[in-house]
Amino acid sequence: MLRRELLPAKPAEAVIFVNGEFLPQSQAKISVLDHGLMYGDGCFDAWCGRNGFIFQLDGHLDRLYRSVHALKLDLRMPKQEMRKNIIETVYRNTVVDFYIKVLVTRGISPEPVIDPRRCEQASVVIYARPTQYEVSPEKKESGIRIKVLSIRRVPHDSLEPQIKSLNYINIIMGKLEAWVSNFDEAVMLDHQGYVTECPGFNIMGITGNKLFTPSRGILVGITRGSVMEMARQAGLSVEEGFYSVFDFTEADEVFMTNTVAGIAPVVNIDGWTIASGKPGPYTKKFQEIYLGWLESGHHGTQVYPAAWSG
Ligand SMILES: Cc1ncc(COP(=O)(O)O)c(C=O)c1O
């Protein structure tokens, strides 16, 4: 149990880590010549936390550093130091149920032109804020309707989706297309028509005793990995491959996963009702297990050990 009376005092303003300093939000600034701002040249990752635990701290960190490596960013902060700074940002904000975001950009350019060679070392920003809802609690209960988008997911030979780059225009345009068409969310195909992922989420289906999910053209989600672990523990087989929209509309259950929203049931794809049109039993079971993991500190790192009593 987390004894809230033993937590550090709440700061008057949110505290944000910017290039080695913990600053009040009103003073936290990044240069107008930063390549991240000018060209989306950088990467990020996001964590969630409950009850004072950061979920899957190292899994997300490893993914962040793979993105940094793939983009050849000159990040001089070793992983262990980043880990320490992330924990300290949460601690200084005294948040208990929260999300964390880390940005790593290529850094500051001497001129507002594209020249990654002339950027100084990478810039780092760390936020830790109270939990946000990407899918409302009501929709997580009743399920959402998703649109099959006309915009395709960027192919890996243009921009590898396994890199969580700051270049999210493909995803943002996807979300806009879904919302102007009055859908809750959406799913994106690749150029061969196979399902890849939803804008900002992975997609998973269950048919019989099998959980299936796209293998390529996706960001390899940490929540996706957690659900695979739960599925194996529940006796399901887990398959990664290439699937059409039909595989999902004919599945027994479909859901989307990500760090901020957790597990969100999908009950309709482009007008096709999935099974009974209600969230399925495995989806509900996984939602429950996932919440239990977050709250109990399974795969978690405790930020306030002095306030934790068993
Ligand atoms: C494009 C994309 N796909 C999938 C995901 C899900 O990944 P995770 O479960 O690690 O949050 C995200 C996360 O925000 C994402 O941005």
Side-chain angles (χ1 to χ4, degrees), residues 44-46 60 63 134 153 161 164 168 171 197-202 218-225 257-260:
F44 73 108
D45 220 295
H60 284 277
R63 185 172 70 185
E134 201 171 350
R153 187 75 179 105
K164 199 166 164 61
Y168 257 44
I171 302 247
E197 58 184 344
C198 304
F201 302 81
N202 291 117
I218 60 165
L219 179 78
V220 180
I222 305 293
T223 324
R224 172 184 182 271
T257 59
N258 82 9
T259 293
V260 176

Short mmCIF file of all heavy atoms in Angstrom, two decimals, residues 44-46 60 63 134 153 161 164 168 171 197-202 218-225 257-260, ligand 1:
data_model
loop_
_atom_site.label_atom_id
_atom_site.label_comp_id
_atom_site.label_asym_id
_atom_site.label_seq_id
_atom_site.Cartn_x
_atom_site.Cartn_y
_atom_site.Cartn_z
N PHE A 44 10.86 9.45 -29.32
CA PHE A 44 10.30 9.57 -27.97
C PHE A 44 9.86 8.21 -27.47
O PHE A 44 9.85 7.24 -28.22
CB PHE A 44 9.14 10.58 -27.95
CG PHE A 44 7.85 10.12 -28.58
CD1 PHE A 44 6.75 9.80 -27.79
CD2 PHE A 44 7.71 10.02 -29.96
CE1 PHE A 44 5.54 9.41 -28.36
CE2 PHE A 44 6.50 9.62 -30.53
CZ PHE A 44 5.43 9.31 -29.73
N ASP A 45 9.51 8.17 -26.21
CA ASP A 45 8.81 7.00 -25.69
C ASP A 45 7.90 7.46 -24.57
O ASP A 45 8.04 8.59 -24.08
CB ASP A 45 9.77 5.89 -25.24
CG ASP A 45 9.21 4.52 -25.63
OD1 ASP A 45 8.14 4.15 -25.08
OD2 ASP A 45 9.79 3.83 -26.49
N ALA A 46 6.94 6.61 -24.20
CA ALA A 46 5.98 6.98 -23.17
C ALA A 46 5.72 5.79 -22.27
O ALA A 46 5.62 4.66 -22.75
CB ALA A 46 4.68 7.44 -23.81
N HIS A 60 10.54 -0.05 -22.06
CA HIS A 60 10.40 1.20 -22.83
C HIS A 60 11.76 1.87 -23.05
O HIS A 60 12.02 2.44 -24.11
CB HIS A 60 9.48 2.17 -22.10
CG HIS A 60 8.03 1.84 -22.18
ND1 HIS A 60 7.24 2.18 -23.24
CD2 HIS A 60 7.20 1.19 -21.33
CE1 HIS A 60 6.00 1.77 -23.03
NE2 HIS A 60 5.95 1.16 -21.88
N ARG A 63 13.55 0.27 -25.84
CA ARG A 63 12.97 0.68 -27.13
C ARG A 63 13.42 2.11 -27.49
O ARG A 63 13.75 2.40 -28.64
CB ARG A 63 11.44 0.58 -27.09
CG ARG A 63 10.81 0.87 -28.44
CD ARG A 63 9.33 0.59 -28.46
NE ARG A 63 8.58 1.54 -27.65
CZ ARG A 63 7.27 1.46 -27.41
NH1 ARG A 63 6.57 0.44 -27.90
NH2 ARG A 63 6.65 2.35 -26.69
N GLU A 134 -6.94 8.38 -23.19
CA GLU A 134 -6.93 8.43 -24.66
C GLU A 134 -8.23 7.79 -25.17
O GLU A 134 -8.73 8.16 -26.23
CB GLU A 134 -5.70 7.70 -25.20
CG GLU A 134 -5.33 8.11 -26.60
CD GLU A 134 -3.99 7.56 -27.04
OE1 GLU A 134 -3.23 7.00 -26.22
OE2 GLU A 134 -3.71 7.69 -28.25
N ARG A 153 -0.28 3.14 -43.63
CA ARG A 153 0.83 3.29 -42.67
C ARG A 153 2.11 3.44 -43.49
O ARG A 153 2.29 2.74 -44.50
CB ARG A 153 0.91 2.05 -41.77
CG ARG A 153 1.91 2.16 -40.63
CD ARG A 153 1.41 3.06 -39.53
NE ARG A 153 2.36 3.14 -38.43
CZ ARG A 153 3.15 4.21 -38.19
NH1 ARG A 153 3.11 5.27 -38.98
NH2 ARG A 153 3.96 4.20 -37.15
N PRO A 161 8.50 1.79 -38.99
CA PRO A 161 7.57 2.08 -37.89
C PRO A 161 8.06 1.57 -36.52
O PRO A 161 7.52 1.97 -35.50
CB PRO A 161 6.28 1.36 -38.29
CG PRO A 161 6.42 1.06 -39.73
CD PRO A 161 7.89 0.93 -40.01
N LYS A 164 10.24 4.82 -32.89
CA LYS A 164 9.18 5.70 -32.38
C LYS A 164 9.65 7.14 -32.58
O LYS A 164 10.05 7.83 -31.64
CB LYS A 164 8.92 5.38 -30.89
CG LYS A 164 7.57 5.86 -30.40
CD LYS A 164 7.24 5.23 -29.06
CE LYS A 164 6.12 5.92 -28.32
NZ LYS A 164 4.83 5.95 -28.96
N TYR A 168 5.10 12.10 -36.44
CA TYR A 168 3.82 11.38 -36.27
C TYR A 168 2.73 11.89 -37.21
O TYR A 168 1.55 11.65 -36.98
CB TYR A 168 3.38 11.46 -34.80
CG TYR A 168 3.65 10.14 -34.08
CD1 TYR A 168 4.85 9.46 -34.26
CD2 TYR A 168 2.71 9.57 -33.24
CE1 TYR A 168 5.10 8.25 -33.63
CE2 TYR A 168 2.94 8.36 -32.60
CZ TYR A 168 4.14 7.70 -32.81
OH TYR A 168 4.38 6.50 -32.18
N ILE A 171 0.32 9.33 -38.48
CA ILE A 171 -0.63 8.89 -37.44
C ILE A 171 -1.68 9.97 -37.18
O ILE A 171 -2.86 9.69 -37.04
CB ILE A 171 0.17 8.61 -36.15
CG1 ILE A 171 1.24 7.57 -36.44
CG2 ILE A 171 -0.72 8.31 -34.96
CD1 ILE A 171 1.13 6.27 -35.82
N GLU A 197 -1.46 -1.36 -37.94
CA GLU A 197 -1.79 -0.96 -36.58
C GLU A 197 -2.79 0.18 -36.63
O GLU A 197 -3.13 0.69 -37.69
CB GLU A 197 -0.52 -0.55 -35.81
CG GLU A 197 0.26 0.57 -36.46
CD GLU A 197 1.57 0.87 -35.72
OE1 GLU A 197 1.76 0.45 -34.58
OE2 GLU A 197 2.41 1.56 -36.33
N CYS A 198 -3.26 0.57 -35.46
CA CYS A 198 -4.17 1.70 -35.36
C CYS A 198 -3.30 2.93 -35.10
O CYS A 198 -2.17 2.79 -34.63
CB CYS A 198 -5.15 1.46 -34.22
SG CYS A 198 -6.05 -0.10 -34.41
N PRO A 199 -3.79 4.14 -35.39
CA PRO A 199 -2.92 5.31 -35.17
C PRO A 199 -2.59 5.48 -33.68
O PRO A 199 -3.41 5.95 -32.90
CB PRO A 199 -3.75 6.49 -35.69
CG PRO A 199 -4.87 5.88 -36.46
CD PRO A 199 -5.09 4.50 -35.95
N GLY A 200 -1.40 5.01 -33.31
CA GLY A 200 -0.98 5.10 -31.91
C GLY A 200 -1.31 3.89 -31.06
O GLY A 200 -1.12 3.92 -29.83
N PHE A 201 -1.80 2.83 -31.67
CA PHE A 201 -2.15 1.60 -30.92
C PHE A 201 -1.74 0.38 -31.75
O PHE A 201 -1.74 0.46 -32.98
CB PHE A 201 -3.66 1.44 -30.76
CG PHE A 201 -4.39 2.55 -30.06
CD1 PHE A 201 -4.74 3.71 -30.75
CD2 PHE A 201 -4.77 2.41 -28.74
CE1 PHE A 201 -5.46 4.71 -30.12
CE2 PHE A 201 -5.49 3.41 -28.11
CZ PHE A 201 -5.83 4.57 -28.79
N ASN A 202 -1.53 -0.74 -31.10
CA ASN A 202 -1.46 -2.02 -31.81
C ASN A 202 -2.85 -2.62 -31.83
O ASN A 202 -3.70 -2.29 -31.01
CB ASN A 202 -0.48 -2.99 -31.12
CG ASN A 202 0.95 -2.52 -31.25
OD1 ASN A 202 1.61 -2.22 -30.26
ND2 ASN A 202 1.44 -2.45 -32.47
N ILE A 218 4.70 -2.12 -37.92
CA ILE A 218 4.13 -1.64 -36.66
C ILE A 218 5.22 -1.15 -35.73
O ILE A 218 6.39 -1.53 -35.86
CB ILE A 218 3.37 -2.77 -35.91
CG1 ILE A 218 4.33 -3.94 -35.56
CG2 ILE A 218 2.19 -3.27 -36.72
CD1 ILE A 218 3.79 -4.91 -34.54
N LEU A 219 4.81 -0.33 -34.75
CA LEU A 219 5.66 -0.12 -33.60
C LEU A 219 5.42 -1.32 -32.68
O LEU A 219 4.26 -1.65 -32.40
CB LEU A 219 5.28 1.17 -32.85
CG LEU A 219 6.14 1.42 -31.62
CD1 LEU A 219 7.50 1.97 -32.00
CD2 LEU A 219 5.46 2.36 -30.64
N VAL A 220 6.48 -1.97 -32.25
CA VAL A 220 6.31 -3.17 -31.42
C VAL A 220 5.98 -2.71 -30.00
O VAL A 220 6.84 -2.29 -29.24
CB VAL A 220 7.58 -4.05 -31.46
CG1 VAL A 220 7.40 -5.29 -30.60
CG2 VAL A 220 7.88 -4.44 -32.89
N GLY A 221 4.69 -2.74 -29.68
CA GLY A 221 4.19 -2.15 -28.44
C GLY A 221 4.56 -2.95 -27.20
O GLY A 221 4.60 -4.18 -27.23
N ILE A 222 4.79 -2.22 -26.13
CA ILE A 222 5.08 -2.86 -24.85
C ILE A 222 3.79 -3.48 -24.29
O ILE A 222 3.81 -4.59 -23.74
CB ILE A 222 5.67 -1.83 -23.86
CG1 ILE A 222 6.91 -1.13 -24.46
CG2 ILE A 222 5.98 -2.47 -22.50
CD1 ILE A 222 8.13 -1.98 -24.68
N THR A 223 2.66 -2.80 -24.47
CA THR A 223 1.38 -3.34 -23.99
C THR A 223 1.03 -4.60 -24.78
O THR A 223 0.53 -5.58 -24.21
CB THR A 223 0.27 -2.28 -24.16
OG1 THR A 223 0.81 -0.99 -23.90
CG2 THR A 223 -0.89 -2.53 -23.22
N ARG A 224 1.30 -4.57 -26.08
CA ARG A 224 1.11 -5.75 -26.93
C ARG A 224 1.88 -6.94 -26.34
O ARG A 224 1.36 -8.04 -26.22
CB ARG A 224 1.61 -5.39 -28.34
CG ARG A 224 1.70 -6.49 -29.37
CD ARG A 224 2.32 -5.89 -30.63
NE ARG A 224 2.45 -6.80 -31.75
CZ ARG A 224 3.52 -7.57 -31.97
NH1 ARG A 224 4.53 -7.56 -31.10
NH2 ARG A 224 3.57 -8.36 -33.03
N GLY A 225 3.14 -6.69 -25.94
CA GLY A 225 3.95 -7.75 -25.34
C GLY A 225 3.34 -8.24 -24.04
O GLY A 225 3.32 -9.46 -23.77
N THR A 257 -4.28 -1.85 -28.22
CA THR A 257 -3.48 -1.69 -27.00
C THR A 257 -2.51 -0.53 -27.13
O THR A 257 -1.92 -0.31 -28.18
CB THR A 257 -2.64 -2.96 -26.71
OG1 THR A 257 -1.77 -3.20 -27.82
CG2 THR A 257 -3.49 -4.18 -26.48
N ASN A 258 -2.37 0.21 -26.06
CA ASN A 258 -1.22 1.11 -25.91
C ASN A 258 -1.05 1.51 -24.46
O ASN A 258 -1.90 1.20 -23.60
CB ASN A 258 -1.26 2.30 -26.88
CG ASN A 258 -2.12 3.45 -26.42
OD1 ASN A 258 -2.61 3.50 -25.30
ND2 ASN A 258 -2.31 4.41 -27.30
N THR A 259 0.07 2.17 -24.21
CA THR A 259 0.45 2.50 -22.84
C THR A 259 -0.55 3.40 -22.14
O THR A 259 -0.86 3.18 -20.97
CB THR A 259 1.84 3.18 -22.90
OG1 THR A 259 2.76 2.21 -23.34
CG2 THR A 259 2.28 3.72 -21.58
N VAL A 260 -1.05 4.41 -22.85
CA VAL A 260 -1.94 5.37 -22.19
C VAL A 260 -3.34 4.78 -22.02
O VAL A 260 -3.95 4.91 -20.95
CB VAL A 260 -1.98 6.71 -22.98
CG1 VAL A 260 -2.97 7.68 -22.36
CG2 VAL A 260 -0.59 7.33 -23.02
C1 LIG B 1 2.37 3.98 -33.62
C2 LIG B 1 2.17 3.27 -32.33
N1 LIG B 1 1.85 1.96 -32.36
C3 LIG B 1 1.67 1.26 -31.22
C4 LIG B 1 1.78 1.86 -29.98
C5 LIG B 1 1.59 1.05 -28.73
O1 LIG B 1 2.81 0.89 -28.04
P1 LIG B 1 2.89 0.77 -26.46
O2 LIG B 1 2.03 -0.38 -26.07
O3 LIG B 1 4.33 0.51 -26.18
O4 LIG B 1 2.41 2.05 -25.90
C6 LIG B 1 2.09 3.21 -29.90
C7 LIG B 1 2.25 3.85 -28.60
O5 LIG B 1 1.96 4.93 -28.31
C8 LIG B 1 2.30 3.94 -31.11
O6 LIG B 1 2.61 5.24 -31.07
#
